[in-house]
Amino acid sequence: MQRPVIQLTTEIGTLPPGDNGEHPFAFAAMAAANMPWRSSPSACHDMLPAEKGAIMKKKPLICLLSMVMTLSVAACGGDPTSDTGSQPQSSATNDTTTDNSEPALPKVTVSSLDELNTEVAEYVDSAIADLQTQYDALTASIGDYNAYVENIGNVQQFYASALSDTETMCLQMYQYALDYVTFITSSDRSFSDQYDDMEELYDVVYDEEGTRIYDDIYDGIMSDAYDYFYDGVVSSGYDLVPYDEWSDYSSGEYDLWSDTRSDIYDIWSDTRSDIYDFYSDVRSDIYAKETKDLEKDITRFQEDLSDLREELSDE
């Protein structure tokens, strides 16, 4: 025998039955009305006359309770016709999703890796040339020991500029490393091609231009400064002024030069190491086709770069 389908009618309309022909609120409504039932609502057709009479008398109460329960679920955002109403909300509607979202990747304006290679080389050329110009102008104004003493403030300023310029250059190299990765991984090229393209980052940022910062600043301009100032014009004052005076200027010059050169090396070395690690991690992610790990590595590097920018701006 086919089971009868129970429908509950309220002021807001007829509530459809569930997939099995039984209304999801039938049991609850019947229980609240102290209505007898057997194993299921479909057993109502077996009821004794007295039981059926009780049902008819309490029908208004059943409908009222069903309506209240339906409105309660609707008020909570549930869908009485769906079994997904009790599921947790999607993370897309969670307020914390926005706060914890990954930073957007920077926009790269170049249209090819060759163009990016050229941009990096031209930047390093310009930055080193500017520092070289400062050094040449300073040495041109200091031809002997007395001129050194008179311009000691300019010498100190040059060393400060050498350190600051190197920090700025290294920070830009971080940015270029991120630009390479962003450009490569956002292309529609295959993983295999992207893996090969990562060699451009190594060859240009890490090897060629990174080495130039060492050769032209640490081992170039700074070595020249030692020869010209400490071992040159300052040394020439040994026979010109009392020893104590000369010793103070000589020691001061050496300490200033040594500290600056050491700091330049530390900055350059840390930058070189970080860029290599980033290159290695990203290339490994591409090789393994681990897109989630790739996103994490890029985001982490971008956050580190942001921290470095803040540190530099606070100095």
Side-chain angles (χ1 to χ4, degrees), residues 10-12 15 62-72:
T10 71
E11 295 179 0
I12 61 175
L15 302 180
I62 296 172
C63 294
L64 178 61
L65 290 173
S66 299
M67 179 180 68
V68 171
M69 296 176 68
T70 302
L71 292 175
S72 297

Side-chain angles (χ1 to χ4, degrees), residues 24-25 69-70 72-90 93:
F25 301 123
M69 296 176 68
T70 302
S72 297
V73 174
C76 295
D79 180 1
T81 64
S82 172
D83 60 0
T84 62
S86 62
Q87 293 181 356
Q89 292 184 350
S90 169
T93 62

Side-chain angles (χ1 to χ4, degrees), residues 168-185:
T168 301
M169 290 180 66
C170 288
L171 189 64
Q172 185 59 44
M173 300 309 283
Y174 276 100
Q175 181 62 61
Y176 280 134
L178 184 59
D179 290 345
Y180 271 89
V181 171
T182 302
F183 182 86
I184 292 170
T185 59

Side-chain angles (χ1 to χ4, degrees), residues 132 135 212-227 257 261:
Q132 184 68 53
Y135 174 77
R212 285 188 59 204
I213 295 175
Y214 177 92
D215 291 343
D216 293 356
I217 298 179
Y218 176 81
D219 204 33
I221 295 174
M222 291 302 297
S223 292
D224 293 342
Y226 175 90
D227 294 337
W257 170 84
R261 191 168 187 252

Side-chain angles (χ1 to χ4, degrees), residues 132-179:
Q132 184 68 53
T133 299
Q134 295 179 51
Y135 174 77
D136 291 341
L138 180 64
T139 55
S141 66
I142 300 177
D144 55 30
Y145 175 81
N146 290 329
Y148 173 87
V149 173
E150 293 173 0
N151 292 277
I152 186 64
N154 293 335
V155 175
Q156 294 170 343
Q157 180 59 46
F158 166 74
Y159 284 128
S161 295
L163 179 58
S164 176
D165 289 357
T166 302
E167 288 176 331
T168 301
M169 290 180 66
C170 288
L171 189 64
Q172 185 59 44
M173 300 309 283
Y174 276 100
Q175 181 62 61
Y176 280 134
L178 184 59
D179 290 345

Side-chain angles (χ1 to χ4, degrees), residues 33 72 85 253 310:
S72 297
E253 168 60 27
E310 291 181 5

Side-chain angles (χ1 to χ4, degrees), residues 72-129:
S72 297
V73 174
C76 295
D79 180 1
T81 64
S82 172
D83 60 0
T84 62
S86 62
Q87 293 181 356
Q89 292 184 350
S90 169
S91 60
T93 62
N94 194 327
D95 292 339
T96 60
T97 301
T98 301
D99 295 338
N100 296 331
S101 60
E102 297 176 352
L105 289 176
K107 295 182 179 179
V108 181
T109 58
V110 298
S111 58
S112 68
L113 285 176
D114 288 341
E115 185 177 344
L116 187 54
N117 295 342
T118 300
E119 181 179 325
V120 176
E122 290 178 348
Y123 169 78
V124 175
D125 283 342
S126 177
I128 293 176

